[in-house]
Amino acid sequence: MPKYLLEVITCSVEDAREAELGGAGRLEVVRDLHLGGLTPPIKLVRDILDAVSIPIRVMIRERNDYSAGTDAELKRLCSLAAELGSLPVDGLVMGFLTGTDLDLTALNTIVSHVPHCNSTFHHAFEDLSDPLGGIDCLRPIRQVDRILTAGGSGAWPDRKQRFIDYAKCAGPELTILAGGGMSFETIEELANNTTVHEFHVGTAAREQGRVTRERVEVLSKLLSKRDVMSRRAFQRSLAVAPVLFSLSKPKSMPQSPSESSPLNLSAMREQYRTDLFHDYLPFIEKFVIDREYGGFHCSVRPNGELVSPVKRAWFEGRGTWVFSFLYNNVAKEQKYLDIAAGSVRLIQKSKPQDPDEFWPKTLNLDGSPDGRPDTEVYGDMFIAEGLAEFSRATGERKYWNQAREIVLKCVRRYDQPDYHPTIGQTYLGPTAPDFPGARIEGVWMVFIRTCSQMVAMHTDPELLAIVDRSVDALLNHHFNPRFRLLNELMNHDLSRPKNQYEQLVYAGHAIETLWMILYEARRKNDIEMFDRVAAMFRRHCEVAKDRVYGGLFRNLTNVDQNAWTLDKTLFPQQEALIGSLCLIEETGDPWALEFYTELDRYVRAKFPMRSLHSPLWQVAGNRQVDPTPDMTRAENYHQPRFLMLNLLAVERMIARKGKPIRAV
């Protein structure tokens, strides 16, 4: 009688301990479970090895597809395999394809770096055009001793027959590991009627996203005997883990607002915390924070090399907000408040003497002005946003009061009929006609975001009026009913321009602005506004999709000609992820769920700069987002804001047990 074995996917030390206590025979260690599993941090692997005594296998996968990637990416995979293979692990888990064929070159290259280490060929096997031929090709590779498969797709009798065929073809050299949607009935049938005796589970061992010993114990008992368990005994065991094998709806079936979220919220929370505390913040603290003068050196390369000591008022205000918000809402550590305080002290050194003058755009190392005052409101508005959040962190009202005065100054300047006449060049290039006094979507956006946060701290009718005015301008004037999109620029009186600006839609700002209005509608408990803006948000996201290479475009220069700026920047992707998760949290919107999942997968595949051994995410690139080693900017606003807001949203969803707000 063969020995049956249960392998459990684990993403943390806690997962590993629970799996071992429940009777698992082996672990597969991964990160980003919602992406099918990617290479985990080596520290996590070491910690799990210290915590458990059962064998573990470790995923080697850096992309959310089955390609080994560029030569540089392949080299990185070899390095990871060698590093992880040097640990006392039972083996590695990998699988690479070119189209629907095995990428034997990549596979052999990687295993040659770990000749002593066994490997499982993972679920890439499902995409092979000729699975039996694939088994024949894998059999001679001595390091590969297992193939993970769900038996392909289709009806269960067809899948069961494939398991029989695969096991026969594999012979004694390869073990077929059954995994992917396994239920009690399918495990029982395979164990009783085929030669398959190893089973691989992920979701089935989890509750609220975490592995529990009770669920693993149910499964391990299921495999403890040749005839497994009687159905009656299994049903009794479900009293311990009552939702182990809950039936899921097809993807196309809308989710009722009363149901729990199908997202793996615990895995999402762990991922966002890893992104923030393991990757982003350590780099910023080491290379971007100016420990001598305060403030932020954002002109750095992906390896941390400083390019220029010049600082920018925009980045100081943004950084003050980020570290104050981090302290207030995510991690109340004094070091984060100290970083914000250093930037506040620095920015005060260039405070304008004229109450209607803006801060200079650039600053010297010590915070003194590096040039003339700015001509746009953005720098001052970011400073105001930072000061207000810093006031909440310190309890000192004077900073909120200063932020209020800055906001009112910005509104006065924005209302001048000659405000920033060259604004059109930002979107259409240097030949764009002047547009003095234009009403600008991006300006209304920063008014909404800063003032809505400030009135949540202290009631202020004047600031609230600015929020309401800005929302009205966007929803009732910038919105162009001809094509149901927001124009970036309007005439000073909010009438629609009759030249090329009538065709201009800056989708990046529109998507960003609309999630901010969603947040404002939630603050006001205005369901009608929320639902109206949600429809607009969906429309802009769908229009901005790059249906060839994935992701979102940012700048639609001519709607009727469908003329886009064909680059990719990180911020629209992140703003869309904030907004879509907001919809999921509020209503469980099925569109938002599908959109968020697809975009999150794309962003994590394209923008992290792992191929350059950097924890940063690429700020901008070409349409395909090819790596840019010469990038000279560390993002200190959109990236951490996205991570923190979505982390907080996920934590709220977990607290409601995954139920949308409107279902509670």
Side-chain angles (χ1 to χ4, degrees):
M1 181 182 296
K3 179 181 179 181
Y4 290 84
L5 182 138
L6 179 68
E7 180 181 88
V8 177
I9 304 172
T10 58
C11 302
S12 66
V13 173
E14 182 182 1
D15 279 354
R17 286 177 175 144
E18 289 291 294
E20 183 178 46
L21 289 170
R26 187 172 62 234
L27 307 178
E28 181 189 271
V29 183
V30 306
R31 66 174 171 85
D32 290 347
L33 185 56
H34 63 291
L35 296 180
L38 300 178
T39 312
I42 191 166
K43 182 179 185 303
L44 174 62
V45 177
R46 289 194 179 105
D47 290 344
I48 289 176
L49 285 167
D50 289 340
V52 301
S53 58
I54 58 177
I56 76 170
R57 293 204 171 193
V58 184
M59 180 67 76
I60 302 293
R61 183 169 177 247
E62 288 291 275
R63 300 162 61 106
N64 71 336
D65 56 21
Y66 300 130
S67 167
T70 63
D71 289 345
E73 288 174 304
L74 178 58
K75 186 176 180 181
R76 168 70 173 158
L77 290 169
C78 292
S79 176
L80 288 169
E83 185 176 26
L84 291 166
S86 68
L87 301 176
V89 298
D90 178 64
L92 304 176
V93 181
M94 65 185 79
F96 304 99
L97 307 180
T98 53
T100 58
D101 297 322
L102 288 170
D103 187 348
L104 292 173
T105 301
L107 185 61
N108 281 308
T109 300
I110 294 170
V111 298
S112 70
H113 286 72
V114 279
H116 61 285
C117 201
N118 291 329
S119 294
T120 301
F121 191 92
H122 61 48
H123 42 64
F125 182 82
E126 305 293 346
D127 283 9
L128 289 175
S129 58
D130 179 11
L132 295 176
I135 293 174
D136 287 336
C137 292
L138 291 171
R139 195 186 304 108
I141 304 175
R142 63 178 181 82
Q143 291 93 338
V144 177
D145 65 350
R146 279 166 174 77
I147 296 174
L148 171 64
T149 177
S153 58
W156 170 246
D158 295 331
R159 292 172 59 199
K160 176 186 172 184
Q161 184 58 49
R162 289 193 199 101
F163 276 113
I164 295 170
D165 295 340
Y166 293 167
K168 183 178 180 181
C169 183
E173 295 92 347
L174 292 169
T175 297
I176 297 299
L177 175 61
M182 293 290 106
S183 67
F184 164 72
E185 289 82 4
T186 56
I187 292 175
E188 181 180 47
E189 194 164 353
L190 288 175
N192 283 331
N193 300 303
T194 74
T195 58
V196 175
H197 56 270
E198 291 193 6
F199 298 87
H200 169 96
V201 295
T203 303
R206 303 180 113 74
E207 184 174 5
Q208 293 292 322
R210 295 184 178 183
V211 174
T212 68
R213 71 189 72 180
E214 292 85 0
R215 291 194 173 207
V216 176
E217 186 175 10
V218 170
L219 292 162
S220 62
K221 285 180 178 178
L222 182 66
L223 296 172
S224 62
K225 294 182 179 179
R226 178 69 172 86
D227 58 355
V228 199
M229 299 171 72
S230 70
R231 187 176 302 277
R232 183 175 299 172
F234 180 73
Q235 294 298 333
R236 284 200 301 269
S237 74
L238 287 182
V240 179
V243 292
L244 180 58
F245 293 115
S246 61
L247 295 175
S248 59
K249 294 182 177 180
K251 283 186 176 180
S252 59
M253 185 178 293
Q255 186 189 20
S256 164
S258 65
E259 293 180 281
S260 297
S261 171
L263 294 170
N264 188 333
L265 296 175
S266 294
M268 289 171 64
R269 175 174 59 185
E270 183 173 341
Q271 181 62 62
Y272 279 123
R273 290 191 67 85
T274 298
D275 293 336
L276 183 62
F277 291 106
H278 181 269
D279 294 340
Y280 179 79
L281 286 171
F283 182 94
I284 297 299
E285 291 181 60
K286 183 174 181 179
F287 297 112
V288 175
I289 306 303
D290 185 343
R291 302 290 180 181
E292 182 176 358
Y293 294 102
F296 305 93
H297 287 307
C298 291
S299 297
V300 297
R301 300 190 192 280
N303 63 1
E305 176 190 353
L306 181 65
V307 176
S308 170
V310 174
K311 297 171 181 174
R312 294 188 63 184
W314 277 42
F315 297 161
E316 294 304 322
R318 287 173 161 187
T320 298
W321 179 86
V322 163
F323 281 92
S324 298
F325 188 88
L326 176 65
Y327 177 83
N328 287 330
N329 297 281
V330 183
K332 211 173 194 66
E333 296 184 33
Q334 185 61 40
K335 67 174 181 176
Y336 299 137
L337 185 57
D338 291 343
I339 290 169
S343 183
V344 169
R345 288 193 299 271
L346 181 93
I347 204 70
Q348 298 291 358
K349 295 178 182 178
S350 54
K351 178 182 176 182
Q353 299 302 309
D354 184 336
D356 282 324
E357 192 174 80
F358 292 137
W359 253 268
K361 181 175 286 189
T362 57
L363 312 172
N364 291 313
L365 192 63
D366 63 356
S368 59
D370 183 51
R372 296 177 59 81
D374 205 345
T375 59
E376 296 185 86
V377 304
Y378 292 115
D380 281 56
M381 286 301 301
F382 291 133
I383 291 170
E385 184 184 25
L387 289 172
E389 193 67 27
F390 183 70
S391 171
R392 188 160 77 92
T394 62
E396 296 183 80
R397 181 68 178 264
K398 66 178 181 179
Y399 294 112
W400 188 94
N401 292 338
Q402 185 182 8
R404 182 180 186 276
E405 293 306 314
I406 294 171
V407 170
L408 298 179
K409 171 187 67 177
C410 289
V411 173
R412 290 195 302 271
R413 287 287 300 272
Y414 180 58
D415 281 341
Q416 293 177 2
D418 61 347
Y419 174 77
H420 197 53
T422 60
I423 182 61
Q425 296 180 20
T426 301
Y427 313 102
L428 300 181
T431 62
D434 282 357
F435 199 164
R439 295 307 191 180
I440 306 166
E441 180 180 32
V443 173
W444 298 124
M445 175 184 73
V446 294
F447 285 168
I448 291 169
R449 182 60 182 159
T450 298
C451 294
S452 63
Q453 291 176 92
M454 292 181 69
V455 298
M457 300 175 203
H458 304 290
T459 302
D460 189 288
E462 200 165 359
L463 296 183
L464 187 56
I466 294 170
V467 176
D468 292 341
R469 175 190 173 192
S470 301
V471 171
D472 175 73
L474 290 161
L475 301 189
N476 299 319
H477 298 279
H478 282 255
F479 182 74
N480 192 322
R482 188 168 72 83
F483 38 70
R484 296 186 295 122
L485 298 169
L486 292 168
N487 283 127
E488 178 70 16
L489 304 179
M490 299 289 284
N491 292 325
H492 192 70
D493 64 358
L494 286 173
S495 62
R496 204 167 309 281
K498 299 184 183 300
N499 57 8
Q500 61 262 56
Y501 291 121
E502 191 266 346
Q503 293 280 336
L504 173 64
V505 172
Y506 194 67
H509 273 172
I511 291 168
E512 184 177 6
T513 300
L514 289 168
W515 77 249
M516 293 176 181
I517 303 178
L518 290 173
Y519 270 48
E520 172 62 9
R522 182 185 288 173
R523 187 189 69 82
K524 296 171 68 174
N525 198 27
D526 188 333
I527 293 176
E528 183 179 352
M529 179 196 290
F530 188 99
D531 291 345
R532 178 187 177 191
V533 174
M536 295 171 69
F537 177 83
R538 286 193 290 271
R539 167 73 173 164
H540 283 79
C541 288
E542 287 296 323
V543 169
K545 279 184 176 180
D546 180 349
R547 300 182 189 280
V548 177
Y549 291 105
L552 304 175
F553 292 125
R554 63 184 174 93
N555 189 25
L556 178 53
T557 59
N558 189 294
V559 174
D560 289 346
Q561 296 176 15
N562 196 29
W564 292 87
T565 302
L566 294 180
D567 63 1
K568 290 283 172 57
T569 54
L570 178 58
F571 91 88
Q573 328 298 324
Q574 294 173 320
E575 309 310 324
L577 288 169
I578 294 172
S580 54
L581 190 59
C582 177
L583 297 185
I584 296 167
E585 182 186 10
E586 180 75 19
T587 67
D589 184 342
W591 169 86
L593 177 63
E594 182 176 353
F595 176 83
Y596 173 91
T597 303
E598 178 186 341
L599 185 60
D600 182 69
R601 192 176 293 127
Y602 166 83
V603 169
R604 293 183 181 280
K606 290 292 185 179
F607 286 91
M609 304 183 77
R610 296 190 192 97
S611 64
L612 301 177
H613 308 291
S614 174
L616 294 183
W617 289 19
Q618 191 162 313
V619 175
N622 61 13
R623 185 177 180 182
Q624 295 82 6
V625 200
D626 294 326
T628 55
D630 56 345
M631 187 180 79
T632 58
R633 177 181 166 192
E635 170 59 55
N636 81 325
Y637 187 60
H638 293 283
Q639 170 81 345
R641 180 175 72 179
F642 151 67
L643 297 176
M644 291 189 291
L645 291 182
N646 276 12
L647 171 60
L648 293 171
V650 169
E651 288 181 338
R652 293 191 298 268
M653 294 167 74
I654 289 173
R656 290 192 302 274
K657 301 186 183 304
K659 290 184 177 180
I661 291 172
R662 295 191 191 177
V664 176

